[in-house]
Amino acid sequence: MKPLQCQSCGMMFPKEDVGTNRDNSPNEDFCYNCFQNGEFTDHHLTLHNLEIRLLEMAKLHNEISLEEAQQIIRVLPDLKRWRMNHI
Ligand SMILES: [Zn+2]
């Protein structure tokens, strides 16, 4: 099964971790960390915050490699959540 890429944080996630719409149906665009009940969990998140968070995840927590973090950072502006901020 192909992992999904969250259109907010850019992380790959398994289908069990999909976000939820307001009617509790799954929303495969976003992971559960980012999107619950039809809303983003962190409304104040910016692209810049996200870049810092990804780099910290790579450096401090070893959840992802630095290369993965940089790769995600490169595609972030093309994700659905951020695309409209860059027109
Ligand atoms: Zn996410």
Side-chain angles (χ1 to χ4, degrees):
M1 194 171 64
K2 202 166 141 280
L4 299 157
Q5 184 174 29
C6 177
Q7 295 294 307
S8 167
C9 67
M11 297 287 284
M12 296 295 179
F13 63 96
K15 226 173 176 161
E16 302 88 78
D17 292 346
V18 293
T20 52
N21 293 315
R22 211 195 288 250
D23 60 4
N24 225 13
S25 60
N27 187 323
E28 294 189 354
D29 280 341
F30 304 107
C31 73
Y32 193 71
N33 283 332
C34 289
F35 200 75
Q36 291 170 23
N37 300 316
E39 285 186 43
F40 288 113
T41 53
D42 186 352
H43 291 280
H44 304 291
L45 187 67
T46 65
L47 206 50
H48 183 65
N49 292 149
L50 202 51
E51 286 174 15
I52 291 168
R53 196 198 277 184
L54 283 161
L55 290 172
E56 279 181 355
M57 265 164 73
K59 281 181 192 154
L60 307 178
H61 309 294
N62 285 321
E63 286 173 58
I64 52 173
S65 71
L66 194 56
E67 270 169 34
E68 281 172 314
Q70 283 164 342
Q71 215 168 10
I72 293 171
I73 287 168
R74 262 198 301 272
V75 301
L76 284 179
D78 293 324
L79 299 179
K80 284 183 187 167
R81 182 170 182 185
W82 310 111
R83 216 183 290 158
M84 53 196 133
N85 295 334
H86 288 264
I87 292 171

